[in-house]
Amino acid sequence: MPSPDDWRRQGQERYLKRVALGWRKYIPYRKGWDHDHCAFCGAKFMESADQDILTEGYATDDNYRWVCRQCFEDFRDEFEWKVTNKTG
Ligand SMILES: [Zn+2]
């Protein structure tokens, strides 16, 4: 588990504790948006991407919050996420 002072912590437990997350291709939350960021490390998600940009990740049911694979693995025990599918 990441340490209590891990740089990625920014109070995410207020909105991401015990939420349902599903692995999926990146889908913009709203028409007109073209990217999003991992809620923890800030990694960028886009629909089609160059290197260093993610096209898949764990998202809340409404596609509003995105979490990259690495942060998901690091914080999953602590945040007690309910994984709705797992194909990645
Ligand atoms: Zn991340």
Side-chain angles (χ1 to χ4, degrees), residues 1-83:
M1 194 176 289
S3 69
D5 61 352
D6 188 282
W7 66 273
R8 291 170 294 181
R9 294 183 187 280
Q10 297 165 47
Q12 290 93 339
E13 63 276 1
R14 291 195 307 269
Y15 52 85
L16 279 175
K17 187 97 180 184
R18 295 194 192 91
V19 300
L21 292 180
W23 175 264
R24 64 183 71 115
K25 261 187 92 60
Y26 174 67
I27 305 162
Y29 171 65
R30 184 180 293 165
K31 212 168 151 60
W33 286 19
D34 68 346
H35 74 278
D36 239 303
H37 294 278
C38 171
F40 291 87
C41 71
K44 194 172 184 180
F45 291 93
M46 290 185 81
E47 282 180 287
S48 63
D50 306 324
Q51 52 184 349
D52 300 334
I53 295 180
L54 305 171
T55 56
E56 299 178 305
Y58 287 93
T60 50
D61 289 341
D62 58 5
N63 300 317
Y64 187 58
R65 307 280 185 191
W66 290 82
V67 178
C68 76
R69 187 196 298 267
Q70 184 62 56
C71 294
F72 175 85
E73 295 297 338
D74 290 348
F75 289 99
R76 62 185 306 177
D77 293 339
E78 180 177 338
F79 279 72
E80 302 168 44
W81 288 314
K82 198 158 13 100
V83 180

